């Protein structure tokens, strides 16, 4: 619960420190005394938007601090531990606003982003503003009411996560499908090109072999002539064959090398030459024995090469690059084929995630339907006590007609009201007057407040527009809530203020050069005076004081 609040240099507040107790506390004071300024300060320390214009005139910085007890708030305690912001079972918040527009937030002395202050708010306090009834006509507010009562927050959190994952998968699938449509023509072309090249079974070796054979056949006559001429000069020429001349020279040197040892090296070289000439002659004979001048074979090869050159021109590559190009096309085709597989996998993932979403939406629908009738009866009972004796509330939970899902479910929630006997229930905005809408809103806030998990509830003049016995009923409801939660109520009604366990009086003091706010904690005698002022205005009588004392005594029974 909220244990203390201190405010410095915020608007008309110069320096103010308050402590709060368990039970119900009422804040009262003259109209315009600054009661709601305390709620504004609390909203700031809990992460609301700040403005440098809120800083007190003449000051450079405004500062708000608040302390929350963790004694009965395990949710907040656990969150602080998870964020590594825990500090000896305390939760101390601080917010500063500087004249230059900078704003800083602190939790237990550590600087934090403002979003973490707002998360503290979600786990510690609910503030009901005096204009809350204006949002009651919104479908979102009506849905939130039933979800609070049905305690659907864990389920909603799960659905929100899954729904966003589902939407992300849908977006990915749409992107893949768009890309797939664009690539379909490319894939068909690639398949044709790959099939065309695949039929030729091209390899770098086979192309080189064809080119070499084509060159050989095209130059076959020259090759044969060169081989025959070489063989003639090496071996077959009876008068000048190289083999015979070297053999004769070798024979002469061998005979004389016993006399001239230096001939040995020349003999060895000539021996090698003889061997090499013999081998060359053998190779040339073998070539001439097996060479074929087949003009049909040359035609076949040139036909094949013409086809390959045509393909190479079509693909804008050299003929030798066709095998590598074929591999490149095959790889691209495989990639596009895997894209189709990826699309199928994404489609399956979307379907599975959608199935989970629908299951969660169905759970929400069942929980909302289960909570709707008891909640409608509770609100009906409450508004009948708040001067709408024939009032009746109905809550409709209907699935969207177009079968859509959102991160809050697949239901349309409608809160309908009838205010006169025999009148069919209709939409709030069409049936209820402004005063009735305010009382219905108050009834809903009182009924649902006890269902909220936060330990502190603040009601900021939510009783505007009611009075008399109705105001007393409101006060009794708030006091009843205070048996399980801390209730802080800013009110101008004595019937509500008298029901509080504690009372704070807010006064605005006008000094010579400035204005500031003071807040006093009232004892029993002071409470009688304040309640009497609220009852009777400026001129208080003993009768008014007696009435005030009686109201306080009856409330404490």
């Amino acid at each position: 619960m909220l244990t203390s609040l201190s405010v410095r240099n915020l608007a008309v507040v110069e320096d103010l420190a308050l402590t709060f107790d368990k039970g119900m506390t009422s804040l009262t004071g003259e109209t315009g005394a600054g009661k709601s300024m305390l709620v504004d300060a609390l909203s700031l320390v809990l992460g609301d938007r700040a403005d440098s214009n809120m800083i007190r005139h003449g000051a450079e910085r405004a500062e708000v601090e608040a302390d929350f007890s963790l004694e009965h708030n395990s949710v907040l305690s656990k969150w602080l531990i998870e964020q590594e912001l825990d500090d000896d079972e305390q939760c101390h918040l601080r917010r500063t606003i500087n004249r230059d527009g900078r704003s800083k937030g602190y939790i237990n002395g550590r600087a934090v982003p403002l979003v973490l202050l707002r998360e503290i708010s979600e786990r510690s306090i609910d503030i009901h503003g005096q204009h809350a009834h204006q949002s009651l006509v919104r479908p979102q507010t009506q849905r939130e009411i039933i979800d609070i009562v049905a305690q659907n927050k864990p389920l909603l959190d799960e659905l929100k996560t899954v729904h966003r994952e589902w939407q992300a998968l849908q977006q990915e699938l749409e992107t893949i499908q768009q890309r797939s449509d664009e690539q379909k023509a490319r894939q068909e072309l690639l398949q044709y090109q790959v099939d065309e090249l695949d039929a030729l079974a091209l390899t770098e070796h086979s192309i080189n072999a064809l080119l070499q054979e084509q060159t050989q056949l095209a130059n076959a006559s020259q090759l044969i002539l060169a081989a025959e001429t070489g063989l003639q000069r090496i071996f077959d020429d009876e008068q000048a064959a190289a083999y015979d001349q070297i053999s004769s020279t070798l024979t002469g040197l061998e005979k004389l090398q016993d006399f001239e040892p230096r001939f040995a090296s020349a003999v060895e070289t000539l021996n090698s030459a003889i061997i090499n000439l013999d081998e060359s002659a053998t190779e040339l004979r073998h070539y001439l024995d097996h060479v074929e001048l087949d003009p049909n074979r040359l035609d076949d090869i040139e036909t094949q090469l013409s086809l390959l050159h045509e393909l190479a021109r079509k693909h804008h590559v050299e003929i030798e690059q066709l095998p590598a190009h074929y591999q490149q096309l095959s790889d691209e085709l495989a990639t596009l084929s895997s894209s189709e597989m990826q699309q199928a996998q994404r489609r399956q993932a979307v379907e599975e995630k959608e199935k989970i979403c629908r299951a969660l939406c169905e759970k929400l629908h069942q929980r909302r339907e289960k909570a709707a009738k008891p909640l409608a009866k509770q609100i009906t009972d409450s508004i009948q006590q708040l001067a709408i004796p024939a009032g009746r509330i109905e809550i409709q939970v209907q699935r969207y007609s177009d079968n859509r899902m959102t991160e809050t479910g697949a239901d349309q929630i409608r809160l309908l009201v009838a205010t006169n006997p025999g009148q069919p229930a209709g939409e709030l905005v069409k049936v209820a007057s402004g005063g009735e809408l305010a009382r219905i809103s108050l009834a809903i806030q009182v009924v649902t407040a006890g269902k909220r998990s936060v330990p502190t509830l603040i009601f900021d003049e939510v009783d505007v527009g009611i009075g008399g016995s109705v105001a007393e009923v409101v006060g009794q409801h708030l006091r009843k809530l205070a048996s399980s939660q801390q209730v802080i109520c800013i009110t101008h009604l004595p019937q509500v203020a008298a029901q509080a366990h504690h009372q704070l009086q807010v006064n605005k003091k006008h000094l010579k050069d400035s204005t500031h706010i003071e807040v006093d904690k009232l004892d029993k005698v002071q409470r009688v005076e304040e309640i009497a002022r609220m009852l009777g205005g400026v001129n208080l009588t003993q009768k008014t004081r007696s009435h005030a004392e009686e109201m306080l005594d009856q409330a404490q029974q």
Side-chain angles (χ1 to χ4, degrees):
M1 70 172 196
L2 176 66
T3 57
S4 68
L5 176 69
S6 64
V7 186
R8 284 179 288 280
N9 297 322
L10 183 69
V12 295
V13 179
E14 183 176 6
D15 194 351
L16 184 64
L18 299 175
T19 59
F20 296 92
D21 298 305
K22 297 179 181 179
M24 177 180 173
T25 299
S26 63
L27 272 74
T28 61
E30 297 282 0
T31 300
K35 299 184 293 296
S36 293
M37 177 57 64
L38 300 178
V39 175
D40 293 340
L42 191 56
S43 297
L44 281 174
V45 82
L46 289 169
D48 267 14
R49 182 185 295 273
D51 190 325
S52 59
N53 292 328
M54 304 171 77
I55 301 174
R56 181 179 172 84
H57 178 69
E60 289 300 314
R61 185 178 70 189
E63 186 173 327
V64 183
E65 296 183 63
D67 286 291
F68 291 87
S69 169
L70 300 177
E71 183 179 357
H72 299 294
N73 194 347
S74 59
V75 174
L76 178 56
S77 180
K78 180 181 178 182
W79 181 87
L80 288 170
I81 293 172
E82 289 173 349
Q83 303 300 318
E84 298 183 354
L85 294 169
D86 53 307
D87 187 5
D88 294 332
E89 288 298 314
Q90 68 172 346
C91 179
H92 177 76
L93 308 184
R94 179 168 168 255
R95 176 84 178 275
T96 61
I97 308 160
N98 290 278
R99 183 67 68 182
D100 61 6
R102 290 182 299 111
S103 173
K104 295 181 180 179
Y106 302 86
I107 299 177
N108 288 333
R110 301 173 182 87
V112 296
L114 295 184
V115 65
L116 292 188
L117 292 179
R118 288 191 282 272
E119 292 198 33
I120 291 278
S121 174
E122 294 174 3
R123 293 162 174 80
S124 61
I125 198 164
D126 255 338
I127 299 177
H128 302 267
Q130 56 184 298
H131 302 296
H133 66 279
Q134 295 174 357
S135 67
L136 186 58
V137 298
R138 292 162 42 208
Q140 177 184 345
T141 303
Q142 296 177 13
R143 177 192 57 76
E144 289 172 350
I145 290 168
I146 196 168
D147 283 333
I148 287 170
V149 173
Q151 298 181 337
N152 284 338
K153 188 177 186 307
L155 197 56
L156 283 167
D157 289 343
E158 184 180 359
L159 175 59
K160 183 177 181 180
T161 300
V162 174
H163 186 272
R164 289 184 177 180
E165 292 172 350
W166 176 51
Q167 285 187 317
L169 285 171
Q170 279 184 310
Q171 191 171 7
E172 288 179 18
L173 179 60
E174 288 173 5
T175 302
I176 292 172
Q177 286 174 334
Q178 289 175 358
R179 190 166 63 237
S180 177
D181 292 341
E182 295 168 359
Q183 292 174 344
K184 191 171 183 181
R186 174 65 177 165
Q187 188 172 359
E188 290 176 355
L189 174 62
L190 282 172
Q191 189 65 61
Y192 171 79
Q193 292 175 331
V194 167
D195 290 345
E196 185 179 42
L197 293 171
D198 189 52
L200 299 174
L202 297 176
T203 65
E204 186 176 348
H205 174 74
S206 65
I207 289 178
N208 289 334
L210 277 175
L211 290 171
Q212 184 177 2
E213 188 175 2
Q214 187 261 353
T215 301
Q216 290 173 343
L217 290 173
N219 297 280
S221 59
Q222 292 177 305
L223 296 173
I224 291 172
L225 178 60
E228 290 175 341
T229 301
L231 183 60
Q232 177 73 15
R233 291 175 177 174
I234 292 171
F235 208 86
D236 291 342
D237 191 334
E238 295 180 356
Q239 297 178 353
Y243 184 88
D244 293 338
Q245 292 183 31
I246 293 173
S247 293
S248 175
T249 303
L250 176 61
T251 300
L253 291 175
E254 284 178 335
K255 290 178 179 178
L256 298 173
Q257 68 177 342
D258 290 338
F259 304 106
E260 180 53 73
R262 286 179 290 181
F263 285 174
S265 176
V267 168
E268 184 178 353
T269 301
L270 289 173
N271 265 318
S272 297
I274 287 295
I275 293 170
N276 290 331
L277 287 172
D278 187 54
E279 289 178 353
S280 297
T282 300
E283 290 174 0
L284 290 174
R285 286 194 193 93
H286 185 271
Y287 172 76
L288 290 171
D289 289 342
H290 295 87
V291 69
E292 294 181 6
L293 285 174
D294 186 355
N296 294 328
R297 175 59 181 164
L298 178 60
D299 289 342
D300 290 342
I301 290 176
E302 289 186 339
T303 300
Q304 292 182 48
L305 288 173
S306 177
L307 174 62
L308 295 180
H309 280 295
E310 184 179 348
L311 280 174
R313 284 193 299 271
K314 183 192 296 186
H315 291 277
H316 307 289
V317 296
E318 297 296 328
I319 187 173
E320 294 87 354
Q321 296 173 326
L322 279 174
H325 184 64
Y326 164 76
Q327 187 60 49
Q328 181 181 343
L329 295 178
S330 298
D331 291 344
E332 185 180 352
L333 182 61
T335 300
L336 292 180
S337 299
S338 68
S339 179
E340 286 187 343
M341 185 181 299
Q342 184 184 19
Q343 182 178 342
Q345 292 172 343
R346 278 290 182 275
R347 187 178 294 109
Q348 182 179 356
V350 167
E351 292 172 356
E352 291 174 354
K353 196 66 69 173
E354 180 182 1
K355 186 176 180 181
I356 296 172
C357 272
R358 294 212 175 275
L360 292 172
C361 286
E362 182 60 28
K363 283 185 181 179
L364 273 173
H365 178 79
Q366 293 175 4
R367 291 176 67 89
R368 287 165 175 167
E369 277 198 327
K370 184 178 179 181
K373 285 186 178 180
L375 175 59
K377 184 179 186 308
Q378 282 183 292
I379 299 173
T380 296
D381 293 343
S382 185
I383 64 173
Q384 288 177 355
Q385 295 175 25
L386 296 176
I388 311 179
R392 186 180 80 257
I393 293 292
E394 294 179 9
I395 300 176
Q396 290 183 352
V397 181
Q398 298 176 328
R399 293 181 177 87
Y400 290 126
S401 57
D402 56 5
N403 204 33
R404 73 178 184 272
M405 291 187 296
T406 71
E407 61 182 30
T408 58
D411 296 322
Q412 181 181 19
I413 311 295
R414 298 176 68 211
L415 198 154
L416 308 177
V417 62
T419 56
N420 296 309
Q423 179 188 44
E427 295 180 15
L428 287 174
V429 69
K430 295 179 180 179
V431 175
S433 65
E436 288 171 335
L437 192 59
R439 276 174 278 166
I440 292 170
S441 174
L442 180 59
I444 290 173
Q445 290 177 37
V446 171
V447 167
T448 60
K451 306 293 184 180
R452 302 170 192 261
S453 60
V454 295
T456 299
L457 305 171
I458 295 183
F459 295 89
D460 183 10
E461 296 191 18
V462 295
D463 48 17
V464 172
I466 63 173
S469 59
V470 176
E472 186 174 355
V473 171
V474 171
Q476 290 171 352
H477 278 306
L478 295 177
R479 185 179 178 90
K480 184 178 179 182
L481 279 177
S483 63
S484 59
Q485 292 165 287
Q486 182 187 40
V487 174
I488 300 171
C489 180
I490 297 173
T491 182
H492 67 283
L493 296 178
Q495 297 93 331
V496 174
Q499 293 291 329
H501 300 94
H502 321 282
Q503 187 167 347
L504 302 176
Q505 184 183 35
V506 182
N507 293 298
K508 184 181 289 185
K509 300 292 184 180
H510 298 281
L511 304 179
K512 182 179 179 180
D513 298 321
S514 63
T515 301
H516 70 277
I517 288 177
E518 292 181 353
V519 180
D520 300 312
K521 191 169 186 177
L522 306 183
D523 58 22
K524 175 66 181 296
V525 174
Q526 292 169 323
R527 288 192 71 183
V528 170
E529 287 295 310
E530 175 64 1
I531 298 295
R533 180 198 63 76
M534 297 171 75
L535 283 167
V538 177
N539 298 316
L540 302 184
T541 65
Q542 186 56 44
K543 185 176 181 180
T544 306
R545 290 187 176 91
S546 296
H547 185 193
E549 187 172 6
E550 182 182 3
M551 290 175 64
L552 283 169
D553 290 340
Q554 287 180 345
Q556 306 306 316
Q557 291 177 0

